[in-house]
Amino acid sequence: MDCAQVTLTVRGATSLGEVIAVVGSCETLGSWCPQKAVPLQPSEEDGTIWKKTITVPSGVETKYRYFTGFFLESKNAGGPCQVIVNKWETHQLPRSLSPSESDLETDDGQFGFRNGIECVDSGWLTFQTEIRLRLHYSVKPPVSITKMKFKKSRFRLKLMLEGIEEEDDEESPSSCHKMTNTLEISMISDGGYKSRHSQPECGYALEPTQWTEYSIHTMDPDNLELIFEFFEEDLSEKVIQGDVHPGHVGTACLLSSSFVESGKDNGIVTLPIMSRNSRQTIGKVRVDYLVIRPIQGFQCDMHQSFSKYWRKRSPLDVGHRGAGSTHAAKHHKIRENTIASFLSAASHGAAYVEFDVHLSKDFVPIVYHDLTCCISTKKKNDKHSMVLFEVPVKDLTFDQLQLLKLAHTTAMKVHDHKDLMDDEECIDEHQPFPSLSQIFQAVPEHVGFNIELKWISQMKDGSWDANLSTYFNMNQFLDVILTSVLQNAGKRRIIFSCFDPDVCAMVRRKQNKYPVLFLTQGVSDIYPQLMDIRCQTTQIAMSFAQSEDILGISAHTEDLLRNMDCIKVAQSKGLVVFCWGDDNNDHENRRKLREQGIDGLIYDRICDDQIEQPNFFKVEDKVSLKEVIPEETLKSCACSTYSIPCSSVPCSSKAPAGSGESDSGLSSS
């Protein structure tokens, strides 16, 4: 194949040690793999101008994107650089070139801008780790003072970050650089948010209605000293001679190695606050921690991202658990969360199907709603009598789950064994506990998946979902599920959602392709209040979504019906809004929500409300293609070229589902 020499030029400011690099569709540009990307070189005259001459196939379109980041020395001698992506271009249509000459120079203007439109997203975790320390009043005040002198004092806190000293290695002659640790603070409340910024000189005071979070990015997560400095606001004298600031009364130290020693990536630690002028403690601080690690064994590429992409159109119908909850009033005949249920919803026009995913004991991603299931045993000498036992799904292997005759947990309360009395032979499509990979294989690709990641929640009264106070390691749990999705999704539209804000934040940081919606119940008369203050109102859910830079929220319709303005308010903040709840099963409520411009409606009785009809996205693709492609072209081409239903084009072959370009919300245009 003939090749061409192309000199790329782009402009952009960078921090110390940071570079601008290019990644693209051809082998020279890494085939979209960031670890094989090509770093550009800054101009000697102007450090904001970056250039690189590359070799690409001649006469063939090469697509590419720029990103900023670090190329770090490998921990293994002689190994490849470890690439950290800080910011990257995410236009739905990347830059491209098709050189016809042997030499070409191209000026791509400003980093992040294409055709006058800026589209840049933050990077994800490739090799670095993110440690988050949080101070909040969800359970009780995070700071407790025992020293009488400071009982009525108001404190300001500042987190200091220090690496434990190691012997410096000799300077490496390679082009790889080192990344320094970074520390930023974020604060969210009902009234708004202030995301990822530097701390003031004496830190911030804590507020009862505010969630305060410190984020540390590091390549050495097990070797840090994290020191909280306490400043008493009203104390004018210096505690120790030489102090820069008066009122610096105490410190609390946390070693990051303690996270590894505990074997947990999230939890609570209580630290003593030590007086700075004696060995006495003046109180204690309760620190909530979360460690977010890169996905193990899988690397995301940079071909395309839908994390923040949504094309506005009429509200989408989303089939709750497929064709609807089996246990809802007037439920659909087909069992929820089964292949048959998803296919039924899809055949009635559902743009997406919503379902819950968690793990079996042997780490197989499975589709099932509840955290527990009821299994039965028959009494000896009484074949008509059954005893039900409630068992956590996480305690059963995938093979064991496939053997179960099960009932919903409500059967224990009402002695209803009808689920267990069904015909013994159950065809595969109606079988409960399908694996996530089976769902991907069985449901047509044009049907979107709204995947709720199932996690335990703690109530305000201290109780836990299904009485489960312990669950999987959160990083391991998400790595297994995300890897399955990223490997099997193909061109399918995917949206992740979860009621746990930490899960939402971790999914956003662990992968770069699919969007996240924060599920929130807000203020509810139906469900008990949750412990985490980020979950308690729709307003703070919006602040959380903005602070974490996720796509939007999935709000409880009970709360939205009290204040429909929430939809417009959220959308004015750049958030996508879905809604869920039993109130969505009422046709009049759905009409009101559609009038208010809701982006997605998750409801049960989609098969009752809709006649059998083509999938929403297939219809839209057909309409869009008719607008941009001449009718003669459509009639003369094979269906697979433009991915439209064969009913619109006279030919003998069927078009493969979902072969058009896809996105999280709808097809890009």
Side-chain angles (χ1 to χ4, degrees), residues 15-19 67-72 82-86 177-180:
S15 61
L16 181 65
E18 188 181 37
V19 301
F67 68 88
T68 65
F70 296 98
F71 283 64
L72 309 178
Q82 296 177 330
V83 178
I84 307 296
V85 179
N86 289 341
H177 302 281
K178 290 186 177 181
M179 186 184 85
T180 56

Side-chain angles (χ1 to χ4, degrees), residues 13-272:
T14 57
S15 61
L16 181 65
E18 188 181 37
V19 301
I20 294 180
V22 62
V23 64
S25 58
C26 66
E27 188 175 353
T28 308
L29 297 181
S31 301
W32 294 118
C33 175
Q35 306 311 315
K36 298 178 181 178
V38 179
L40 278 65
Q41 300 297 322
S43 167
E44 292 183 2
E45 296 79 21
D46 184 348
T48 65
I49 298 177
W50 295 75
K51 292 189 175 186
K52 185 69 176 180
T53 300
I54 58 173
T55 303
V56 298
S58 181
V60 177
E61 183 182 39
T62 296
K63 297 180 180 180
Y64 61 100
R65 303 181 189 275
Y66 293 111
F67 68 88
T68 65
F70 296 98
F71 283 64
L72 309 178
E73 295 177 7
S74 173
K75 292 183 178 180
N76 301 318
C81 286
Q82 296 177 330
V83 178
I84 307 296
V85 179
N86 289 341
K87 300 284 184 182
W88 65 299
E89 297 179 333
T90 54
H91 301 84
Q92 288 299 296
L93 295 176
R95 302 178 190 270
S96 65
L97 51 86
S98 303
S100 55
E101 304 171 0
S102 59
D103 291 289
L104 176 69
E105 291 193 10
T106 178
D107 189 336
D108 283 319
Q110 189 70 24
F111 167 76
F113 286 83
R114 184 168 183 267
N115 297 328
I117 298 173
E118 184 178 19
C119 197
V120 174
D121 197 8
S122 57
W124 65 104
L125 299 179
T126 52
F127 293 95
Q128 74 277 41
T129 296
E130 184 171 345
I131 298 173
R132 297 191 179 193
L133 305 181
R134 294 85 70 83
L135 302 175
H136 54 86
Y137 287 72
S138 294
V139 179
K140 55 186 176 182
V143 176
S144 174
I145 300 299
T146 55
K147 193 80 169 175
M148 289 302 298
K149 179 180 178 180
F150 301 118
K151 273 287 187 181
K152 296 183 180 180
S153 297
R154 177 178 167 87
F155 288 97
R156 299 173 71 90
L157 276 71
K158 183 176 184 179
L159 180 64
M160 304 296 289
L161 173 63
E162 295 184 18
I164 298 173
E165 291 185 7
E166 294 180 328
E167 293 183 10
D168 289 332
D169 296 328
E170 293 182 8
E171 288 295 322
S172 169
S174 74
S175 61
C176 298
H177 302 281
K178 290 186 177 181
M179 186 184 85
T180 56
N181 299 322
T182 62
L183 168 61
E184 296 173 309
I185 186 172
S186 302
M187 298 173 292
I188 67 169
S189 65
D190 272 352
Y193 74 102
K194 190 174 182 182
S195 182
R196 295 184 180 265
H197 62 284
S198 299
Q199 303 169 87
E201 222 169 5
C202 293
Y204 287 107
L206 301 179
E207 303 292 344
T209 59
Q210 181 176 281
W211 180 278
T212 302
E213 184 164 281
Y214 305 88
S215 299
I216 300 107
H217 280 236
T218 180
M219 293 294 291
D220 199 7
D222 306 329
N223 206 30
L224 300 175
E225 282 186 46
L226 308 161
I227 304 168
F228 286 98
E229 306 281 7
F230 288 77
F231 297 88
E232 208 277 335
E233 285 193 334
D234 301 325
L235 194 64
S236 57
E237 77 254 16
K238 295 180 180 180
V239 176
I240 294 178
Q241 194 67 30
D243 273 356
V244 177
H245 301 288
H248 188 186
V249 297
T251 62
C253 182
L254 173 62
L255 298 180
S256 63
S257 58
S258 62
F259 304 145
V260 177
E261 291 164 4
S262 72
K264 297 169 65 176
D265 287 334
N266 61 305
I268 305 286
V269 292
T270 300
L271 309 174

Side-chain angles (χ1 to χ4, degrees), residues 515-527:
V516 182
L517 296 178
F518 178 32
L519 273 163
T520 175
Q521 67 183 40
V523 178
S524 175
D525 296 326
I526 302 172
Y527 300 106

